[in-house]
Every structure is written in structure tokens, then in C-alpha cells.
Amino acid sequence: MSSTVAPGSKGKVLLAYSGGLDTSCILVWLIEQGYEVLAYMANVGQEEDFEAAREKALKVGATKVFIEDLRRELVEELVIPTIQANAVYETVYLLGTSVARPVIARSQVAIAQREGCTHVSHGCTGKGNDQVRFELAYYALDPKLQVIAPWRIPEFYKRFPGRAALLEYAAQTNIPVSQTPSKPWSTDENLFHISYEAGILEDPNVTPPKDMWKLTVDPEEAPNTPERITITFKAGKPVRVTNEADGTDVTDPLDLFLYLNTVARRNGVGRIDIVENRFIGIKSRGCYETPGGTVLRAAHIDLEGLVLDREVRAYRDEHITPVFGKIMYNGLYFSPEGDMLTKMVPMTQTNVNGSVRVKLYKGSLTMEGRWSETETLYDMEQSSMD
């Protein structure tokens, strides 16, 4: 494979790599431009053959490949605080893509610094939110790193105006291409959720086909028998999930969240179909599956009704929850205001201790009871109408 410029003459770049067509072509294109390219993949719970992707990156020219398991960091540092804040964007979107970006970008910057890279790069489209999220994180964490965003470089996007041009380039440069037919939408997946957008979904009046939904059972086809679990919180963090029917008792934060995903998926819980306002100023239609997160947030809100002080809850709901959601969505997690809000959330959760009984049935959630052994704001005798 020939290069127009000597590889490495322009510096060393760490590319956020997915193993797909776009980032594989970007990898080879960067080498052509004179960069030494290292590839980086983050395991945030997506279904991916990481070893196959590693081999592919090395085959097409990456000098090193880094695969980082960030699942625990994602759950403990981003997902759980987002649940504690009850954060959403525009009242419905549970921030599934947004919450993963800080840990992915932070790890990428750390590796770039360790490996002496001069640049970092990503394959985000020029019309999406992720370009903003990644680049704001890069600049906040290491302003000296230079960012290469190919889909905003005219030389790149004019050369590759569509998938056909990318496929032609892949054939010319011996990039292995999966024979799996391209689906008429794009996806982003992590252990918190999966998103679907673009393609046929760009018409907001098109009903998503049944075979699009990957994670959850169709609610109409979910089991005819309800499933019941109990979620226990300490200081607003989920610390235990039990299911008496199958004997499950989970306490590890990562395992707990993965189990909630399993239960919610088989009961068809967690689907939404919305039109949202992207940070860059355009509206976008997105479909999302957030199974475990939907259950956890609903149970957390329910418990707060029992144990959280009225004024603390009102202040948090007005001043922290909506702003936290907006900051996460807009990629400002590493900003001063993001740091401040992240530190404020635990202060509102000191008394959020107790358990909630949850029924899952054909896509719906019902809170069937809640109690606390330590918090006493609710007094049954005082509340009695007798």
C-alpha cells in the first residue's frame, strides 16, 4: 500500500476506532496523509468482536491497538450519578449515548499522552452531537493535543461523499469489508442503551420496523406473567437487586446493572421513539432502548418520594436535574460547571436509603411498594386519615 506522504512525518495520532467501514477508511487515509496511526477501542458493553477488530486495525496499518474495558467506570462514575440526579434531556431521553462519552474520551487522552501522540482523531459525523462531546473532552483534558475530525475536512468528505466511495476505497486499499448488508439506520450501543437514527428513521412519521429493536422483546410478545424484583438503594446508589422467583441476589454495581438489563429486556421495558433538539442546532429523530436504566431511574424516583426532604427535592429538581442533563447531553462533563454539579448530586442523596418493589409486565413498570429502615420522614400514624 503506497502513501503520498511518508508515514509518521506529520506526527502520531490515536484514532477512536470501531472496526467498521468508516473508521477503517479513516485509519488508512490518515496514514496516506503522513501520520503514524494507533487505534483505540473502548469496551463500554457493546456487542463487538474486539479481537477481530484488533486484527483488522493491524492489518490495515495501525502500529498499535489498545482495547480498554471501561464498563465498570461507566456504571460507577457516569450511569449511577446520572440516575441519582434523575437526569434526562428534554424530559424523555435518558442520555444513553452521552454518558459513555466522558469515560471513552478520558481513556483515549490518557493513552495518547502515554504513547506520545501529537493528535487524536474520531469518526463522528459533522452533523451529530458526538463530535462536540469528544472534542470538548479532548480540549478540557489536554489542550495541547490536536484533533483531526475527517468528516469536517473538505478534502475527506468530498473524496468520500457516500458509502459507495468508501467501499471503493476499501477495495483499492485492501481493507476487509464485512459482507453483512448495511441496515437502513445507524446505531450506537453501550451497556446503558442502544440508539437508532438516520436512514429510514429520518422521516419522523415512519414506524420503526419490528426487527430494528435489538435489545428488548416486543412488549406485545413479552411473557404473560409479570416479573417482580426488589431494588435497594443506599445514598441514592443501587446496592442490591433481588428476585425471589429465580433466587437472584446481586450486589456488585456492574453485575447489578447487567442483571437489570436482562430482566428489563425480556419484559420489553425501555423503548422510546422521539424527536430531539441536537446541540448543533438541528432536530433529530432517535429511537432508543434503555432497559436497565429505565427500571433503575423509575425505582429511584419512587423511593425519593418516601425519604427525600421536600425542599431538597424541589431544589434539586429545579436547579440540578435539568442542568445536569443538559451538561451531559452537550458534552460539558469536564467543564467547571460539570464538575460542580457532579459534586452537588451526592449531597442531595444522603437520605435516599431504602428499597422498592417493582413489577415488570409487557413493557410497563409498576412500583408495588417501598420502605426504608433508616429514614423516618414518612410517619404512617401521622399520615393516617383515621
Side-chain angles (χ1 to χ4, degrees):
M1 182 169 54
S2 62
S3 299
T4 56
V5 184
S9 62
K10 288 188 177 179
K12 186 187 294 187
V13 56
L14 182 63
L15 170 66
Y17 182 71
S18 69
L21 177 64
D22 285 31
T23 53
S24 294
C25 288
I26 288 171
L27 195 161
V28 175
W29 181 81
L30 286 169
I31 295 171
E32 284 186 355
Q33 303 308 302
Y35 296 97
E36 177 188 351
V37 182
L38 292 69
Y40 158 71
M41 298 187 72
N43 177 0
V44 286
Q46 71 274 38
E47 294 182 7
E48 182 73 64
D49 187 338
F50 290 102
E51 288 310 310
R54 181 199 300 274
E55 293 177 10
K56 184 174 181 178
L58 292 170
K59 178 180 175 63
V60 300
T63 56
K64 291 183 180 180
V65 179
F66 303 90
I67 300 174
E68 302 295 307
D69 187 346
L70 306 178
R71 293 175 299 165
R72 186 170 296 278
E73 290 177 41
L74 174 57
V75 169
E76 295 181 354
E77 297 183 34
L78 274 300
V79 170
I80 290 177
T82 300
I83 296 296
Q84 287 180 299
N86 296 332
V88 290
Y89 179 70
E90 296 187 334
T91 74
V92 287
Y93 173 46
L94 298 186
L95 302 164
T97 299
S98 315
V99 298
R101 296 322 185 213
V103 293
I104 295 173
R106 184 175 62 191
S107 179
Q108 185 178 3
V109 168
I111 294 171
Q113 292 171 330
R114 188 179 74 221
E115 295 296 318
C117 293
T118 53
H119 299 72
V120 288
S121 183
H122 60 75
C124 302
T125 173
K127 286 190 175 181
N129 292 314
D130 276 343
Q131 57 177 336
V132 177
R133 295 168 182 150
F134 278 116
E135 292 179 36
L136 287 177
Y138 298 152
Y139 295 136
L141 295 168
D142 190 344
K144 294 180 181 179
L145 280 172
Q146 299 179 62
V147 178
I148 303 173
W151 286 115
R152 293 205 311 272
I153 298 174
E155 178 187 353
F156 184 87
Y157 66 70
K158 289 179 181 177
R159 183 176 178 182
F160 305 109
R163 181 175 174 84
L166 290 170
L167 288 169
E168 182 180 354
Y169 181 69
Q172 293 171 352
T173 54
N174 299 316
I175 297 173
V177 176
S178 170
Q179 297 303 309
T180 303
S182 177
K183 292 186 176 180
W185 54 76
S186 63
T187 64
D188 178 80
E189 183 180 6
N190 59 56
L191 58 77
F192 193 45
H193 93 149
I194 187 170
S195 65
Y196 310 89
E197 60 183 8
I200 63 172
L201 300 176
E202 290 177 349
D203 181 345
N205 197 33
V206 167
T207 301
K210 283 193 172 186
D211 65 351
M212 182 194 77
W213 303 101
K214 176 183 176 183
L215 300 184
T216 56
V217 171
D218 186 328
E220 295 178 1
E221 299 173 4
N224 293 322
T225 302
E227 187 164 8
R228 290 175 167 87
I229 59 174
T230 299
I231 305 175
T232 299
F233 294 86
K234 184 175 182 180
K237 297 180 178 181
V239 295
R240 189 172 198 170
V241 173
T242 56
N243 185 333
E244 293 185 8
D246 63 12
T248 297
D249 188 346
V250 191
T251 57
D252 176 80
L254 177 57
D255 293 339
L256 182 154
F257 194 80
L258 293 175
Y259 178 71
L260 285 176
N261 271 342
T262 299
V263 174
R265 288 174 67 166
R266 67 191 178 212
N267 287 282
V269 171
R271 296 182 179 186
I272 62 169
D273 178 350
I274 63 173
V275 175
E276 67 200 68
N277 290 293
R278 285 182 178 170
F279 177 65
I280 61 169
I282 60 177
K283 287 187 179 290
S284 171
R285 192 265 190 96
C287 299
Y288 303 96
E289 292 178 279
T290 315
T294 298
V295 177
L296 200 54
R297 182 174 184 272
H300 177 261
I301 290 173
D302 183 82
L303 180 62
E304 285 189 332
L306 180 71
V307 301
L308 194 58
D309 175 80
R310 179 180 68 183
E311 297 306 319
V312 170
R313 186 175 191 178
Y315 185 90
R316 191 276 316 278
D317 288 351
E318 181 177 356
H319 298 287
I320 297 177
T321 296
V323 183
F324 190 94
K326 188 174 181 179
I327 279 176
M328 291 300 302
Y329 187 84
N330 291 344
L332 294 167
Y333 180 79
F334 294 111
S335 67
E337 63 270 34
D339 182 58
M340 178 188 71
L341 283 169
T342 300
K343 291 174 180 175
M344 290 177 68
V345 169
M347 297 171 62
T348 71
Q349 298 294 291
T350 304
N351 301 107
V352 184
N353 305 301
S355 300
V356 180
R357 294 187 294 110
V358 185
K359 180 179 77 172
L360 301 90
Y361 181 64
K362 290 188 176 295
S364 69
L365 293 172
T366 303
M367 307 301 130
E368 295 193 318
R370 74 288 298 158
W371 76 94
S372 175
E373 296 176 354
T374 59
E375 308 308 315
T376 58
L377 284 179
Y378 180 85
D379 186 310
M380 191 164 60
E381 291 186 7
Q382 189 180 64
S383 301
S384 176
M385 296 297 184
D386 294 335

